[in-house]
Amino acid sequence: TMTTLHTLSGALAISSLTLLLALSQTACGGSYGGPASARADSNAPAEWSAIAVKTVLDASAVTPGGVSPMEESRTYAMAFSAAHDALNAIDRRYKPYMSDLQAPGANADAAVASAVSTVLKANLPSQAAALDAAYTAALARLPDGRAKAAGVTLGQQTAQAILAARAGDGSANAQ
């Protein structure tokens, strides 16, 4: 039934996100605060992982037939690839995926919030209002200044790069 399908899809989302969270924790050395962060205990990848799951589940509730597992996994992959490239531009630890940028003074929390929210809004436009509210709240916790502005710009750049790269990937015709 459709309820079973949504439950399975939600379970898949939770298990996928658990893996993404574990990978983000490993890749980010636990908390990815760094010197430009507002709080040392901040963990934007984990926060935005939870927001991503809620966004997909909320989008499924208002989308006839729900969000397909393929669309769901594609959205997560795009959002967190953009976040990876943003964090990697701030503190180069790994090979970039799509965006080979350098922004060592950018705020990591602002970059992650910007990258993930930009991709989620593009892929799940029915959730734009909720995403705008989460994004505004995340940025409000950060001190204003050059680091925050640089993080916002960086996240937008990495998100736009992944969105452009995936625009013609054939996923719209996938079954």
Side-chain angles (χ1 to χ4, degrees):
T1 69
M2 190 56 80
T3 303
T4 303
L5 182 59
H6 284 296
T7 301
L8 289 174
S9 179
L12 176 62
I14 298 301
S15 62
S16 297
L17 222 38
T18 301
L19 175 60
L20 284 172
L21 179 58
L23 291 173
S24 73
Q25 289 295 295
T26 301
C28 299
S31 174
Y32 205 98
S37 222
R39 299 181 339 248
D41 65 345
S42 171
N43 195 343
E47 176 184 0
W48 281 92
S49 291
I51 291 168
V53 168
K54 183 177 180 340
T55 301
V56 169
L57 292 175
D58 289 349
S60 286
V62 298
T63 302
V67 175
S68 74
M70 194 278 308
E71 182 183 2
E72 179 179 353
S73 62
R74 180 178 180 270
T75 296
Y76 293 142
M78 290 171 64
F80 291 99
S81 293
H84 161 81
D85 277 355
L87 291 172
N88 203 40
I90 295 167
D91 181 8
R92 181 62 47 102
R93 297 182 189 187
Y94 307 99
K95 181 179 176 185
Y97 176 68
M98 190 64 55
S99 302
D100 190 7
L101 303 171
Q102 303 248 342
N107 183 289
D109 293 350
V112 170
S114 181
V116 175
S117 67
T118 299
V119 171
L120 291 175
K121 281 176 57 174
N123 287 1
L124 303 167
S126 69
Q127 300 305 302
L131 286 164
D132 285 342
Y135 180 67
T136 298
L139 291 184
R141 292 191 304 264
L142 304 174
D144 290 331
R146 290 174 47 193
K148 179 179 175 178
V152 167
T153 300
L154 176 62
Q156 290 169 345
Q157 290 172 326
T158 61
Q160 291 305 322
I162 194 77
L163 288 166
R166 298 292 167 246
D169 66 3
S171 65
N173 301 323
Q175 302 253 357

